[in-house]
Amino acid sequence: MSKIEYTGNMRSIQVEYLSKNGIRFHHSISQYPNDTVDFQCAESHYMFELFLLLSGSVTYNIEGKFYEVHPMEMIIIPPNELHSIKIDASKPYERMVLHFAPDLLPSFNDLDILAPFNTAKNTFAHIIPRNFLEHSNLLNLMYKCKEHCKEKSKYIDLRLARTILQIVESLNEIISQLLSSDNQPVEPINLKTISASCIQYVNANLTGDTDLY
């Protein structure tokens, strides 16, 4: 465990692991001297991201939509989605974050094991609520990832990949339950994003540029 100070902000790193095989994991606790922390710079990456909030309160901005995250809730972020985070600095902020590359998991002809991430991107509100999380084995699996990362073994990545496969399987089950329940989160229509897309389309066609983004 190590402690790093950033301009008065103290970050205690419980576990941090970066693999050459497309796996990142960290468990850390941050404390801030000020009352508020602005949104951090937006980022986008090619890896899947699972963000588990253990304590504190944060707000995620994912592709222009805002999600308040409370302790024991999980955020799902598919690859290449622009996102940033705002932290409530009035209390310690503890989280576990797992990233893994799209090609880490095997593919099967009759099973789309990445379906939960595609569902989150297309029809789901990105958040796994606390009551669903606590009735699954996702928490145990995230802590299992932490234990793997603390090992000094050449088989760490293999064990992590196996656990990540179990995590994705658990996510499949949870999202299926959420989509069939009456209290599933509903993702709001983002008029600002739609307007921006329309403007981009018009500008592109007026200029003859077909590389829309």
Side-chain angles (χ1 to χ4, degrees):
M1 184 176 67
S2 60
K3 292 186 178 180
I4 305 174
E5 186 170 347
Y6 299 99
T7 61
N9 301 335
M10 185 65 70
R11 181 185 180 191
S12 174
I13 300 174
Q14 308 296 305
V15 173
E16 190 165 46
Y17 179 74
L18 174 61
S19 164
K20 295 180 180 179
N21 296 319
I23 303 174
R24 297 176 185 171
F25 180 89
H26 82 262
H27 174 198
S28 55
I29 305 170
S30 297
Q31 291 183 303
Y32 303 89
N34 303 317
D35 292 334
T36 59
V37 175
D38 292 332
F39 273 101
Q40 296 180 1
C41 294
E43 64 175 4
S44 177
H45 39 70
Y46 75 99
M47 292 194 285
F48 296 100
E49 178 176 334
L50 295 178
F51 172 95
L52 173 62
L53 184 65
L54 297 174
S55 67
S57 178
V58 302
T59 301
Y60 254 96
N61 179 353
I62 305 176
E63 294 289 321
K65 300 179 179 69
F66 295 86
Y67 304 93
E68 291 186 5
V69 190
H70 303 99
M72 306 310 291
E73 291 184 341
M74 177 180 282
I75 281 280
I76 302 174
I77 305 177
N80 304 315
E81 287 202 344
L82 192 65
H83 57 280
S84 60
I85 186 173
K86 184 178 182 180
I87 304 161
D88 178 358
S90 64
K91 59 195 75 172
Y93 160 49
E94 182 176 6
R95 67 282 192 191
M96 287 186 183
V97 185
L98 171 66
H99 295 86
F100 62 93
D103 57 357
L104 177 72
L105 302 179
S107 60
F108 303 93
N109 292 331
D110 58 344
L111 177 63
D112 182 5
I113 58 176
L114 298 179
F117 297 94
N118 295 328
T119 302
K121 185 171 184 177
N122 296 325
T123 62
F124 189 67
H126 286 84
I127 291 184
I128 302 294
R130 176 173 182 161
N131 58 326
F132 284 86
L133 197 66
E134 290 181 336
H135 287 87
S136 72
N137 64 341
L138 262 180
L139 293 175
N140 290 334
L141 291 172
M142 289 294 286
Y143 277 99
K144 193 173 181 180
C145 286
K146 177 182 175 179
E147 293 305 312
H148 290 327
C149 294
K150 291 167 63 176
E151 298 171 0
K152 295 182 179 180
S153 166
K154 61 181 179 181
Y155 299 111
I156 292 179
D157 285 3
L158 180 61
R159 291 168 181 167
L160 278 172
R162 182 176 58 193
T163 302
I164 290 170
L165 187 58
Q166 292 176 290
I167 287 174
V168 172
E169 181 182 359
S170 183
L171 281 173
N172 266 303
E173 296 174 357
I174 292 174
I175 292 179
S176 295
Q177 294 172 15
L178 276 168
L179 292 177
S180 62
S181 69
D182 294 331
N183 63 340
Q184 60 172 295
V186 177
E187 192 166 17
I189 296 174
N190 190 317
L191 297 178
K192 182 178 179 181
T193 301
I194 294 174
S195 299
S197 300
C198 292
I199 292 170
Q200 289 177 6
Y201 178 82
V202 172
N203 289 340
N205 281 274
L206 287 175
T207 60
D209 182 7
T210 56
D211 293 330
L212 298 179
Y213 56 90

